[in-house]
Amino acid sequence: MNFPERFSNLPEYAFPRLRTLLDHHQPGGDVIHMTIGAPMHDFPAWVTDVIMENAAGFQGYPENEGSPELRGAITDWIKRRYGVAMDPETNVMALNGTREGLYNAAMALCPEQKNGQKPVVLCPNPFYQVYMVASISVAAEPVFVPATAATGHLPDYAGLPEDVLNRTAVAYICSPANPQGAVASRDYWAELIQLAEKYDFRIFADECYSEIYRNDAPAGALTIAQELGADPERVTLFNSLSKRSNLAGLRSGLIAGGPETIKRVKQLRSYAGAPLPAPLQAAAARVWADEAHVAENRALYQEKYAIADEVFANVQGYMPPEAGFFLWLPVENGEETALKLWQQTGVRVLPGAYLSQGDPGQNPGEQFIRVAMVAPKTEMKRGLITLRDCIYS
């Protein structure tokens, strides 16, 4: 039996890799999970009521691009949040989680060649792993661009050689960044959009953490693209209810962009997609329309930021996150630190190298651990103090 080679060099995914590292060792105390970014705050209690009210919808096939009510709620939210008016018929589509969209957008939109050569897909490094797999799936060359302290924890795409930029078809960018919590400024977005206009590539703006922040709401790529008068197909936005509303299991995401972009993604979805079930679409429409629970959720994370700042106040190299719910903590070696924490305390964290690409000594995540601040506040604080005392004392 023959198997394809295209994915044969993929590293083991981060969480199975973590289980391989830790699970044959006993925890050194009560287990505190701080690895996966699965929100644990309460979602609105009325969500289950909406699902039950619309349960008959489970009998039929859901609409491929999302119900009119859901698409209307999404465009209303984009208008409120980003100040950009979009047509629910031609500019947006509902996703079954943003990972689906981040993958399928490359499948639908990345050309076979760019300027007569193999196309390049730019990825920040560290990065959400679907960016790499999408690149490989379309036979493009993924180019991993360091997002370190030297570049403000965002990739410096403008600093790439011109021969790479001439082959670039797509640039993924995550703001607020996972895992570092850095936020792209208006100037950063403007420079990136202008670079994309100059070299004619698409920007896939992954803004899934946009509603969790300390002070000011992060600028959005669509807002800046509109201000600059950029090609309406230039920027494609991805977002979801997973972090905003603590509804990762609802799988309600969105893709928004130019009409030709959405047309092509819709067409691919018709053949190979899995739309959100109708009762879940009804619930999602209500959730996108409500901001009160989002403000409450954000306030809880702001309390957690303050706790983290207090716990790590005297830790050299601690970088308070601007947004999101991860800490990106400096250590000598992420794998060794994660194993030490597990064996000595029972605190479970993710080595930064598992989110990055690069040989030993060249991997930008190698000297970091990612810590998710999603547990209830008391448990999270206990975990952070335990972690600090174990590795920084």
Side-chain angles (χ1 to χ4, degrees), residues 58-91:
F58 282 122
Q59 190 171 22
Y61 289 111
E63 296 188 54
N64 177 58
E65 63 269 25
S67 68
E69 293 78 15
L70 177 53
R71 285 182 282 115
I74 287 170
T75 53
D76 288 347
W77 179 77
I78 290 172
K79 178 64 175 177
R80 292 196 309 273
R81 178 61 175 83
Y82 297 112
V84 177
M86 309 207 87
D87 184 345
E89 295 295 326
T90 62
N91 289 128

PDB file of all heavy atoms in Angstrom, residues 58-91:
ATOM      1  N   PHE A  58     -32.052  20.277  13.425  1.00  0.00           N
ATOM      2  CA  PHE A  58     -31.129  19.154  13.285  1.00  0.00           C
ATOM      3  C   PHE A  58     -31.612  18.153  12.229  1.00  0.00           C
ATOM      4  O   PHE A  58     -30.835  17.331  11.744  1.00  0.00           O
ATOM      5  CB  PHE A  58     -30.958  18.432  14.624  1.00  0.00           C
ATOM      6  CG  PHE A  58     -30.057  19.131  15.591  1.00  0.00           C
ATOM      7  CD1 PHE A  58     -30.524  19.509  16.848  1.00  0.00           C
ATOM      8  CD2 PHE A  58     -28.729  19.411  15.271  1.00  0.00           C
ATOM      9  CE1 PHE A  58     -29.688  20.146  17.753  1.00  0.00           C
ATOM     10  CE2 PHE A  58     -27.897  20.046  16.170  1.00  0.00           C
ATOM     11  CZ  PHE A  58     -28.364  20.429  17.421  1.00  0.00           C
ATOM     12  N   GLN A  59     -32.885  18.230  11.862  1.00  0.00           N
ATOM     13  CA  GLN A  59     -33.445  17.273  10.907  1.00  0.00           C
ATOM     14  C   GLN A  59     -32.993  17.557   9.482  1.00  0.00           C
ATOM     15  O   GLN A  59     -32.950  16.649   8.659  1.00  0.00           O
ATOM     16  CB  GLN A  59     -34.974  17.307  10.985  1.00  0.00           C
ATOM     17  CG  GLN A  59     -35.661  16.194  10.213  1.00  0.00           C
ATOM     18  CD  GLN A  59     -37.150  16.150  10.509  1.00  0.00           C
ATOM     19  OE1 GLN A  59     -37.729  17.143  10.932  1.00  0.00           O
ATOM     20  NE2 GLN A  59     -37.761  15.001  10.311  1.00  0.00           N
ATOM     21  N   GLY A  60     -32.675  18.804   9.190  1.00  0.00           N
ATOM     22  CA  GLY A  60     -32.329  19.172   7.820  1.00  0.00           C
ATOM     23  C   GLY A  60     -30.859  19.489   7.645  1.00  0.00           C
ATOM     24  O   GLY A  60     -30.117  19.668   8.614  1.00  0.00           O
ATOM     25  N   TYR A  61     -30.436  19.526   6.384  1.00  0.00           N
ATOM     26  CA  TYR A  61     -29.062  19.932   6.093  1.00  0.00           C
ATOM     27  C   TYR A  61     -28.910  21.434   6.318  1.00  0.00           C
ATOM     28  O   TYR A  61     -29.769  22.225   5.903  1.00  0.00           O
ATOM     29  CB  TYR A  61     -28.705  19.608   4.644  1.00  0.00           C
ATOM     30  CG  TYR A  61     -28.544  18.131   4.366  1.00  0.00           C
ATOM     31  CD1 TYR A  61     -29.466  17.451   3.580  1.00  0.00           C
ATOM     32  CD2 TYR A  61     -27.468  17.434   4.890  1.00  0.00           C
ATOM     33  CE1 TYR A  61     -29.324  16.092   3.325  1.00  0.00           C
ATOM     34  CE2 TYR A  61     -27.313  16.075   4.636  1.00  0.00           C
ATOM     35  CZ  TYR A  61     -28.241  15.408   3.852  1.00  0.00           C
ATOM     36  OH  TYR A  61     -28.089  14.070   3.607  1.00  0.00           O
ATOM     37  N   PRO A  62     -27.835  21.855   6.962  1.00  0.00           N
ATOM     38  CA  PRO A  62     -27.639  23.292   7.181  1.00  0.00           C
ATOM     39  C   PRO A  62     -27.212  24.013   5.908  1.00  0.00           C
ATOM     40  O   PRO A  62     -26.698  23.391   4.969  1.00  0.00           O
ATOM     41  CB  PRO A  62     -26.525  23.337   8.230  1.00  0.00           C
ATOM     42  CG  PRO A  62     -25.770  22.059   8.033  1.00  0.00           C
ATOM     43  CD  PRO A  62     -26.777  21.043   7.590  1.00  0.00           C
ATOM     44  N   GLU A  63     -27.432  25.319   5.887  1.00  0.00           N
ATOM     45  CA  GLU A  63     -27.041  26.121   4.731  1.00  0.00           C
ATOM     46  C   GLU A  63     -25.518  26.204   4.647  1.00  0.00           C
ATOM     47  O   GLU A  63     -24.835  26.463   5.639  1.00  0.00           O
ATOM     48  CB  GLU A  63     -27.644  27.519   4.825  1.00  0.00           C
ATOM     49  CG  GLU A  63     -29.162  27.513   4.768  1.00  0.00           C
ATOM     50  CD  GLU A  63     -29.744  28.911   4.672  1.00  0.00           C
ATOM     51  OE1 GLU A  63     -29.337  29.666   3.759  1.00  0.00           O
ATOM     52  OE2 GLU A  63     -30.582  29.261   5.519  1.00  0.00           O
ATOM     53  N   ASN A  64     -25.004  26.021   3.453  1.00  0.00           N
ATOM     54  CA  ASN A  64     -23.570  25.937   3.225  1.00  0.00           C
ATOM     55  C   ASN A  64     -22.823  27.166   3.725  1.00  0.00           C
ATOM     56  O   ASN A  64     -21.800  27.059   4.415  1.00  0.00           O
ATOM     57  CB  ASN A  64     -23.304  25.749   1.728  1.00  0.00           C
ATOM     58  CG  ASN A  64     -21.827  25.722   1.390  1.00  0.00           C
ATOM     59  OD1 ASN A  64     -21.078  24.901   1.899  1.00  0.00           O
ATOM     60  ND2 ASN A  64     -21.405  26.633   0.526  1.00  0.00           N
ATOM     61  N   GLU A  65     -23.326  28.341   3.398  1.00  0.00           N
ATOM     62  CA  GLU A  65     -22.596  29.568   3.731  1.00  0.00           C
ATOM     63  C   GLU A  65     -23.042  30.205   5.039  1.00  0.00           C
ATOM     64  O   GLU A  65     -22.517  31.240   5.450  1.00  0.00           O
ATOM     65  CB  GLU A  65     -22.732  30.605   2.597  1.00  0.00           C
ATOM     66  CG  GLU A  65     -24.142  31.084   2.358  1.00  0.00           C
ATOM     67  CD  GLU A  65     -24.880  30.242   1.325  1.00  0.00           C
ATOM     68  OE1 GLU A  65     -24.521  29.060   1.137  1.00  0.00           O
ATOM     69  OE2 GLU A  65     -25.827  30.776   0.723  1.00  0.00           O
ATOM     70  N   GLY A  66     -24.015  29.579   5.718  1.00  0.00           N
ATOM     71  CA  GLY A  66     -24.570  30.153   6.928  1.00  0.00           C
ATOM     72  C   GLY A  66     -25.938  30.742   6.660  1.00  0.00           C
ATOM     73  O   GLY A  66     -26.217  31.258   5.564  1.00  0.00           O
ATOM     74  N   SER A  67     -26.800  30.690   7.643  1.00  0.00           N
ATOM     75  CA  SER A  67     -28.157  31.223   7.482  1.00  0.00           C
ATOM     76  C   SER A  67     -28.115  32.733   7.281  1.00  0.00           C
ATOM     77  O   SER A  67     -27.150  33.400   7.689  1.00  0.00           O
ATOM     78  CB  SER A  67     -28.994  30.900   8.725  1.00  0.00           C
ATOM     79  OG  SER A  67     -28.505  31.646   9.839  1.00  0.00           O
ATOM     80  N   PRO A  68     -29.163  33.313   6.652  1.00  0.00           N
ATOM     81  CA  PRO A  68     -29.207  34.777   6.516  1.00  0.00           C
ATOM     82  C   PRO A  68     -29.099  35.482   7.870  1.00  0.00           C
ATOM     83  O   PRO A  68     -28.455  36.536   7.970  1.00  0.00           O
ATOM     84  CB  PRO A  68     -30.561  35.026   5.854  1.00  0.00           C
ATOM     85  CG  PRO A  68     -30.863  33.762   5.114  1.00  0.00           C
ATOM     86  CD  PRO A  68     -30.288  32.657   5.972  1.00  0.00           C
ATOM     87  N   GLU A  69     -29.718  34.892   8.906  1.00  0.00           N
ATOM     88  CA  GLU A  69     -29.665  35.518  10.237  1.00  0.00           C
ATOM     89  C   GLU A  69     -28.238  35.532  10.779  1.00  0.00           C
ATOM     90  O   GLU A  69     -27.785  36.539  11.347  1.00  0.00           O
ATOM     91  CB  GLU A  69     -30.579  34.766  11.196  1.00  0.00           C
ATOM     92  CG  GLU A  69     -32.058  34.861  10.889  1.00  0.00           C
ATOM     93  CD  GLU A  69     -32.492  33.947   9.741  1.00  0.00           C
ATOM     94  OE1 GLU A  69     -31.718  33.034   9.369  1.00  0.00           O
ATOM     95  OE2 GLU A  69     -33.608  34.150   9.222  1.00  0.00           O
ATOM     96  N   LEU A  70     -27.523  34.429  10.600  1.00  0.00           N
ATOM     97  CA  LEU A  70     -26.152  34.366  11.100  1.00  0.00           C
ATOM     98  C   LEU A  70     -25.241  35.294  10.308  1.00  0.00           C
ATOM     99  O   LEU A  70     -24.438  36.031  10.886  1.00  0.00           O
ATOM    100  CB  LEU A  70     -25.628  32.924  11.036  1.00  0.00           C
ATOM    101  CG  LEU A  70     -24.176  32.704  11.458  1.00  0.00           C
ATOM    102  CD1 LEU A  70     -23.898  33.284  12.838  1.00  0.00           C
ATOM    103  CD2 LEU A  70     -23.831  31.213  11.421  1.00  0.00           C
ATOM    104  N   ARG A  71     -25.362  35.286   8.995  1.00  0.00           N
ATOM    105  CA  ARG A  71     -24.514  36.174   8.191  1.00  0.00           C
ATOM    106  C   ARG A  71     -24.830  37.644   8.478  1.00  0.00           C
ATOM    107  O   ARG A  71     -23.930  38.487   8.502  1.00  0.00           O
ATOM    108  CB  ARG A  71     -24.678  35.853   6.708  1.00  0.00           C
ATOM    109  CG  ARG A  71     -23.959  34.557   6.320  1.00  0.00           C
ATOM    110  CD  ARG A  71     -24.067  34.240   4.837  1.00  0.00           C
ATOM    111  NE  ARG A  71     -25.371  33.678   4.515  1.00  0.00           N
ATOM    112  CZ  ARG A  71     -26.278  34.251   3.739  1.00  0.00           C
ATOM    113  NH1 ARG A  71     -26.019  35.450   3.200  1.00  0.00           N
ATOM    114  NH2 ARG A  71     -27.435  33.674   3.504  1.00  0.00           N
ATOM    115  N   GLY A  72     -26.103  37.925   8.733  1.00  0.00           N
ATOM    116  CA  GLY A  72     -26.460  39.300   9.099  1.00  0.00           C
ATOM    117  C   GLY A  72     -25.863  39.703  10.434  1.00  0.00           C
ATOM    118  O   GLY A  72     -25.374  40.829  10.600  1.00  0.00           O
ATOM    119  N   ALA A  73     -25.898  38.785  11.414  1.00  0.00           N
ATOM    120  CA  ALA A  73     -25.302  39.074  12.719  1.00  0.00           C
ATOM    121  C   ALA A  73     -23.796  39.283  12.598  1.00  0.00           C
ATOM    122  O   ALA A  73     -23.209  40.141  13.279  1.00  0.00           O
ATOM    123  CB  ALA A  73     -25.609  37.936  13.694  1.00  0.00           C
ATOM    124  N   ILE A  74     -23.149  38.498  11.730  1.00  0.00           N
ATOM    125  CA  ILE A  74     -21.707  38.629  11.533  1.00  0.00           C
ATOM    126  C   ILE A  74     -21.365  39.974  10.902  1.00  0.00           C
ATOM    127  O   ILE A  74     -20.449  40.673  11.362  1.00  0.00           O
ATOM    128  CB  ILE A  74     -21.187  37.461  10.668  1.00  0.00           C
ATOM    129  CG1 ILE A  74     -21.180  36.170  11.483  1.00  0.00           C
ATOM    130  CG2 ILE A  74     -19.795  37.764  10.125  1.00  0.00           C
ATOM    131  CD1 ILE A  74     -20.906  34.920  10.665  1.00  0.00           C
ATOM    132  N   THR A  75     -22.094  40.375   9.864  1.00  0.00           N
ATOM    133  CA  THR A  75     -21.785  41.664   9.228  1.00  0.00           C
ATOM    134  C   THR A  75     -22.105  42.826  10.168  1.00  0.00           C
ATOM    135  O   THR A  75     -21.385  43.839  10.167  1.00  0.00           O
ATOM    136  CB  THR A  75     -22.538  41.823   7.895  1.00  0.00           C
ATOM    137  OG1 THR A  75     -23.937  41.602   8.092  1.00  0.00           O
ATOM    138  CG2 THR A  75     -22.009  40.855   6.854  1.00  0.00           C
ATOM    139  N   ASP A  76     -23.153  42.682  10.969  1.00  0.00           N
ATOM    140  CA  ASP A  76     -23.445  43.729  11.962  1.00  0.00           C
ATOM    141  C   ASP A  76     -22.292  43.849  12.957  1.00  0.00           C
ATOM    142  O   ASP A  76     -21.899  44.953  13.348  1.00  0.00           O
ATOM    143  CB  ASP A  76     -24.738  43.411  12.710  1.00  0.00           C
ATOM    144  CG  ASP A  76     -25.980  43.606  11.858  1.00  0.00           C
ATOM    145  OD1 ASP A  76     -25.873  44.221  10.778  1.00  0.00           O
ATOM    146  OD2 ASP A  76     -27.062  43.134  12.274  1.00  0.00           O
ATOM    147  N   TRP A  77     -21.765  42.706  13.393  1.00  0.00           N
ATOM    148  CA  TRP A  77     -20.639  42.736  14.338  1.00  0.00           C
ATOM    149  C   TRP A  77     -19.399  43.366  13.705  1.00  0.00           C
ATOM    150  O   TRP A  77     -18.719  44.184  14.340  1.00  0.00           O
ATOM    151  CB  TRP A  77     -20.311  41.323  14.822  1.00  0.00           C
ATOM    152  CG  TRP A  77     -19.153  41.303  15.771  1.00  0.00           C
ATOM    153  CD1 TRP A  77     -19.165  41.657  17.090  1.00  0.00           C
ATOM    154  CD2 TRP A  77     -17.796  40.967  15.456  1.00  0.00           C
ATOM    155  NE1 TRP A  77     -17.897  41.552  17.631  1.00  0.00           N
ATOM    156  CE2 TRP A  77     -17.050  41.125  16.641  1.00  0.00           C
ATOM    157  CE3 TRP A  77     -17.152  40.540  14.301  1.00  0.00           C
ATOM    158  CZ2 TRP A  77     -15.669  40.874  16.693  1.00  0.00           C
ATOM    159  CZ3 TRP A  77     -15.782  40.287  14.344  1.00  0.00           C
ATOM    160  CH2 TRP A  77     -15.062  40.453  15.540  1.00  0.00           C
ATOM    161  N   ILE A  78     -19.103  43.014  12.466  1.00  0.00           N
ATOM    162  CA  ILE A  78     -17.943  43.599  11.784  1.00  0.00           C
ATOM    163  C   ILE A  78     -18.106  45.118  11.670  1.00  0.00           C
ATOM    164  O   ILE A  78     -17.144  45.872  11.861  1.00  0.00           O
ATOM    165  CB  ILE A  78     -17.761  42.948  10.396  1.00  0.00           C
ATOM    166  CG1 ILE A  78     -17.298  41.497  10.561  1.00  0.00           C
ATOM    167  CG2 ILE A  78     -16.757  43.732   9.547  1.00  0.00           C
ATOM    168  CD1 ILE A  78     -17.261  40.714   9.275  1.00  0.00           C
ATOM    169  N   LYS A  79     -19.312  45.578  11.405  1.00  0.00           N
ATOM    170  CA  LYS A  79     -19.554  47.017  11.324  1.00  0.00           C
ATOM    171  C   LYS A  79     -19.334  47.676  12.676  1.00  0.00           C
ATOM    172  O   LYS A  79     -18.678  48.731  12.768  1.00  0.00           O
ATOM    173  CB  LYS A  79     -20.987  47.279  10.828  1.00  0.00           C
ATOM    174  CG  LYS A  79     -21.370  48.744  10.752  1.00  0.00           C
ATOM    175  CD  LYS A  79     -20.535  49.500   9.730  1.00  0.00           C
ATOM    176  CE  LYS A  79     -21.023  50.945   9.599  1.00  0.00           C
ATOM    177  NZ  LYS A  79     -20.180  51.723   8.653  1.00  0.00           N
ATOM    178  N   ARG A  80     -19.865  47.071  13.750  1.00  0.00           N
ATOM    179  CA  ARG A  80     -19.679  47.639  15.092  1.00  0.00           C
ATOM    180  C   ARG A  80     -18.209  47.616  15.504  1.00  0.00           C
ATOM    181  O   ARG A  80     -17.692  48.591  16.048  1.00  0.00           O
ATOM    182  CB  ARG A  80     -20.485  46.855  16.138  1.00  0.00           C
ATOM    183  CG  ARG A  80     -21.970  46.967  16.048  1.00  0.00           C
ATOM    184  CD  ARG A  80     -22.637  46.480  17.333  1.00  0.00           C
ATOM    185  NE  ARG A  80     -22.192  45.173  17.775  1.00  0.00           N
ATOM    186  CZ  ARG A  80     -22.714  44.022  17.373  1.00  0.00           C
ATOM    187  NH1 ARG A  80     -23.703  44.014  16.489  1.00  0.00           N
ATOM    188  NH2 ARG A  80     -22.259  42.868  17.845  1.00  0.00           N
ATOM    189  N   ARG A  81     -17.549  46.512  15.250  1.00  0.00           N
ATOM    190  CA  ARG A  81     -16.194  46.299  15.761  1.00  0.00           C
ATOM    191  C   ARG A  81     -15.130  46.986  14.925  1.00  0.00           C
ATOM    192  O   ARG A  81     -14.178  47.562  15.461  1.00  0.00           O
ATOM    193  CB  ARG A  81     -15.913  44.787  15.825  1.00  0.00           C
ATOM    194  CG  ARG A  81     -14.519  44.414  16.294  1.00  0.00           C
ATOM    195  CD  ARG A  81     -14.228  44.897  17.710  1.00  0.00           C
ATOM    196  NE  ARG A  81     -12.943  44.421  18.164  1.00  0.00           N
ATOM    197  CZ  ARG A  81     -11.776  45.009  17.889  1.00  0.00           C
ATOM    198  NH1 ARG A  81     -11.755  46.109  17.147  1.00  0.00           N
ATOM    199  NH2 ARG A  81     -10.645  44.512  18.370  1.00  0.00           N
ATOM    200  N   TYR A  82     -15.281  46.939  13.611  1.00  0.00           N
ATOM    201  CA  TYR A  82     -14.224  47.431  12.730  1.00  0.00           C
ATOM    202  C   TYR A  82     -14.615  48.659  11.905  1.00  0.00           C
ATOM    203  O   TYR A  82     -13.772  49.216  11.195  1.00  0.00           O
ATOM    204  CB  TYR A  82     -13.770  46.313  11.784  1.00  0.00           C
ATOM    205  CG  TYR A  82     -13.167  45.129  12.494  1.00  0.00           C
ATOM    206  CD1 TYR A  82     -13.814  43.899  12.502  1.00  0.00           C
ATOM    207  CD2 TYR A  82     -11.952  45.232  13.167  1.00  0.00           C
ATOM    208  CE1 TYR A  82     -13.261  42.800  13.155  1.00  0.00           C
ATOM    209  CE2 TYR A  82     -11.401  44.140  13.822  1.00  0.00           C
ATOM    210  CZ  TYR A  82     -12.055  42.932  13.813  1.00  0.00           C
ATOM    211  OH  TYR A  82     -11.509  41.845  14.453  1.00  0.00           O
ATOM    212  N   GLY A  83     -15.896  49.026  11.956  1.00  0.00           N
ATOM    213  CA  GLY A  83     -16.334  50.183  11.184  1.00  0.00           C
ATOM    214  C   GLY A  83     -16.355  49.924   9.689  1.00  0.00           C
ATOM    215  O   GLY A  83     -16.269  50.870   8.894  1.00  0.00           O
ATOM    216  N   VAL A  84     -16.493  48.685   9.291  1.00  0.00           N
ATOM    217  CA  VAL A  84     -16.470  48.313   7.871  1.00  0.00           C
ATOM    218  C   VAL A  84     -17.817  47.699   7.512  1.00  0.00           C
ATOM    219  O   VAL A  84     -18.252  46.722   8.135  1.00  0.00           O
ATOM    220  CB  VAL A  84     -15.336  47.301   7.576  1.00  0.00           C
ATOM    221  CG1 VAL A  84     -15.366  46.868   6.117  1.00  0.00           C
ATOM    222  CG2 VAL A  84     -13.979  47.915   7.925  1.00  0.00           C
ATOM    223  N   ALA A  85     -18.474  48.272   6.513  1.00  0.00           N
ATOM    224  CA  ALA A  85     -19.762  47.751   6.051  1.00  0.00           C
ATOM    225  C   ALA A  85     -19.523  46.622   5.055  1.00  0.00           C
ATOM    226  O   ALA A  85     -18.760  46.779   4.100  1.00  0.00           O
ATOM    227  CB  ALA A  85     -20.572  48.875   5.402  1.00  0.00           C
ATOM    228  N   MET A  86     -20.175  45.487   5.284  1.00  0.00           N
ATOM    229  CA  MET A  86     -20.019  44.334   4.413  1.00  0.00           C
ATOM    230  C   MET A  86     -21.384  43.784   4.043  1.00  0.00           C
ATOM    231  O   MET A  86     -22.347  43.877   4.815  1.00  0.00           O
ATOM    232  CB  MET A  86     -19.168  43.254   5.085  1.00  0.00           C
ATOM    233  CG  MET A  86     -17.848  43.738   5.654  1.00  0.00           C
ATOM    234  SD  MET A  86     -16.569  42.462   5.730  1.00  0.00           S
ATOM    235  CE  MET A  86     -15.851  42.586   4.090  1.00  0.00           C
ATOM    236  N   ASP A  87     -21.468  43.203   2.853  1.00  0.00           N
ATOM    237  CA  ASP A  87     -22.701  42.615   2.355  1.00  0.00           C
ATOM    238  C   ASP A  87     -22.797  41.173   2.844  1.00  0.00           C
ATOM    239  O   ASP A  87     -21.907  40.364   2.557  1.00  0.00           O
ATOM    240  CB  ASP A  87     -22.684  42.646   0.827  1.00  0.00           C
ATOM    241  CG  ASP A  87     -23.967  42.130   0.191  1.00  0.00           C
ATOM    242  OD1 ASP A  87     -24.771  41.475   0.894  1.00  0.00           O
ATOM    243  OD2 ASP A  87     -24.163  42.380  -1.013  1.00  0.00           O
ATOM    244  N   PRO A  88     -23.852  40.823   3.583  1.00  0.00           N
ATOM    245  CA  PRO A  88     -23.950  39.450   4.089  1.00  0.00           C
ATOM    246  C   PRO A  88     -24.068  38.404   2.983  1.00  0.00           C
ATOM    247  O   PRO A  88     -23.809  37.219   3.223  1.00  0.00           O
ATOM    248  CB  PRO A  88     -25.203  39.481   4.966  1.00  0.00           C
ATOM    249  CG  PRO A  88     -25.967  40.678   4.533  1.00  0.00           C
ATOM    250  CD  PRO A  88     -24.967  41.663   4.056  1.00  0.00           C
ATOM    251  N   GLU A  89     -24.447  38.819   1.773  1.00  0.00           N
ATOM    252  CA  GLU A  89     -24.570  37.872   0.665  1.00  0.00           C
ATOM    253  C   GLU A  89     -23.228  37.591   0.005  1.00  0.00           C
ATOM    254  O   GLU A  89     -22.993  36.473  -0.471  1.00  0.00           O
ATOM    255  CB  GLU A  89     -25.553  38.416  -0.381  1.00  0.00           C
ATOM    256  CG  GLU A  89     -26.978  38.555   0.110  1.00  0.00           C
ATOM    257  CD  GLU A  89     -27.605  37.216   0.448  1.00  0.00           C
ATOM    258  OE1 GLU A  89     -27.285  36.219  -0.228  1.00  0.00           O
ATOM    259  OE2 GLU A  89     -28.406  37.169   1.400  1.00  0.00           O
ATOM    260  N   THR A  90     -22.351  38.597  -0.053  1.00  0.00           N
ATOM    261  CA  THR A  90     -21.152  38.460  -0.885  1.00  0.00           C
ATOM    262  C   THR A  90     -19.830  38.598  -0.142  1.00  0.00           C
ATOM    263  O   THR A  90     -18.786  38.233  -0.692  1.00  0.00           O
ATOM    264  CB  THR A  90     -21.168  39.504  -2.018  1.00  0.00           C
ATOM    265  OG1 THR A  90     -21.164  40.829  -1.445  1.00  0.00           O
ATOM    266  CG2 THR A  90     -22.391  39.326  -2.907  1.00  0.00           C
ATOM    267  N   ASN A  91     -19.841  39.100   1.089  1.00  0.00           N
ATOM    268  CA  ASN A  91     -18.582  39.416   1.776  1.00  0.00           C
ATOM    269  C   ASN A  91     -18.258  38.519   2.965  1.00  0.00           C
ATOM    270  O   ASN A  91     -17.152  38.620   3.510  1.00  0.00           O
ATOM    271  CB  ASN A  91     -18.574  40.869   2.265  1.00  0.00           C
ATOM    272  CG  ASN A  91     -18.468  41.865   1.149  1.00  0.00           C
ATOM    273  OD1 ASN A  91     -19.270  42.786   1.063  1.00  0.00           O
ATOM    274  ND2 ASN A  91     -17.487  41.708   0.271  1.00  0.00           N
TER     275      ASN A  91
END
